[in-house]
Amino acid sequence: MTQPVPDLAPLTPGGRRVLDAASRLFYERGIHAVGVDTIAEAAGVTKKTLYDRFGSKEALVVSYLQHRDARWRAHVAAQLERVPEPGPARILSIFDAAISWSDENSPKGCSAINARAELGDGADGHPVFPEVSRQKVWLLDLFEELCTSGGVRDPRAMAQAMMLLYEGAIVTVGMATFAEPFRIARTWADALLTQDLSG
């Protein structure tokens, strides 16, 4: 069963301005490059308001990742609703969701991967780490659920293959190595599923 999104506490208007400003700045410039002074100024609030609403910059980073994740999951759910019948098309819907999401929302790649990479290995106790892991485990579990209901012979192995294609594509988006990586990943995912289900 895929992991649920953590309960997102309701935000005051000031808290929403802080989160919106932080989300834009963290994604565009990076977590380390953006200080609380910059966020407060962009949000039109005092630093006291920022700390009153979120407690710390670390907590604000986690909130940023959680709210982006909630939006992404809603986007995926809407895409899956368009393909209700189990099978390859429903599995490939994850790639379709990524294609329609990435240009507008993820031109620099995955926010969770970027946050994890930026923190490196020297901050193992940082609350970003379990949040990033939770998001990636959720997607792997979702692929496995879709592969199971779709009749794939080894759902876990296929889910791992789908995840590798997906993650490779999102990193390629961020690196701009070549155009339309999610469309290419979808083509190879389709080929793997066709081979599995026709064998």
Side-chain angles (χ1 to χ4, degrees), residues 140-141 144 147-148 154-161:
L140 178 61
D141 287 349
E144 185 172 3
C147 288
T148 299
D154 187 340
R156 187 66 176 179
M158 185 63 77
Q160 290 169 344

Side-chain angles (χ1 to χ4, degrees), residues 72 75 92-104 180-184 186:
W72 160 242
H75 184 76
L92 294 171
S93 287
I94 305 301
F95 294 93
D96 295 331
I99 290 167
S100 59
W101 168 273
S102 62
D103 285 347
E104 182 176 346
E180 299 190 315
F182 274 118
R183 293 189 187 280
I184 295 170
R186 188 192 190 283

Side-chain angles (χ1 to χ4, degrees), residues 31-47:
I31 293 166
H32 286 319
V34 178
V36 293
D37 289 313
T38 301
I39 296 167
E41 182 179 356
V45 303
T46 64
K47 278 202 299 183

Side-chain angles (χ1 to χ4, degrees), residues 3-198:
Q3 299 181 5
V5 180
D7 290 334
L8 301 177
L11 295 169
T12 64
R16 170 52 66 185
R17 290 199 302 275
V18 169
L19 182 61
D20 288 347
S23 296
R24 177 176 54 81
L25 292 166
F26 286 152
Y27 189 76
E28 290 177 357
R29 302 183 191 178
I31 293 166
H32 286 319
V34 178
V36 293
D37 289 313
T38 301
I39 296 167
E41 182 179 356
V45 303
T46 64
K47 278 202 299 183
K48 182 179 184 304
T49 297
L50 185 153
Y51 284 117
D52 284 347
R53 300 300 183 269
F54 294 95
S56 67
K57 182 181 175 183
E58 287 184 346
L60 179 56
V61 172
V62 172
S63 185
Y64 146 67
L65 293 174
Q66 289 177 342
H67 279 79
R68 274 185 66 97
D69 181 49
R71 286 175 49 228
W72 160 242
R73 290 194 193 201
H75 184 76
V76 169
Q79 184 68 43
L80 288 171
E81 285 180 3
R82 298 187 185 100
V83 189
E85 294 300 317
R90 187 164 168 82
I91 300 166
L92 294 171
S93 287
I94 305 301
F95 294 93
D96 295 331
I99 290 167
S100 59
W101 168 273
S102 62
D103 285 347
E104 182 176 346
N105 295 283
S106 297
K108 293 178 178 289
C110 174
S111 57
I113 291 173
N114 294 347
R116 175 64 182 84
E118 194 175 346
L119 292 169
D121 295 324
D124 289 340
H126 198 290
V128 159
F129 288 10
E131 175 58 27
V132 170
S133 177
R134 181 190 63 77
Q135 292 184 20
K136 297 307 179 181
V137 168
W138 170 79
L139 186 58
L140 178 61
D141 287 349
L142 177 59
F143 270 126
E144 185 172 3
E145 287 180 14
L146 295 174
C147 288
T148 299
S149 62
V152 171
R153 282 177 288 183
D154 187 340
R156 187 66 176 179
M158 185 63 77
Q160 290 169 344
M162 296 293 108
M163 190 73 178
L164 287 171
L165 287 167
Y166 175 92
E167 292 295 305
I170 192 70
V171 170
T172 302
V173 167
M175 297 295 291
T177 311
F178 53 82
E180 299 190 315
F182 274 118
R183 293 189 187 280
I184 295 170
R186 188 192 190 283
T187 297
W188 285 101
D190 190 14
L192 284 174
L193 291 166
T194 299
Q195 181 180 32
D196 182 274
L197 294 169
S198 63

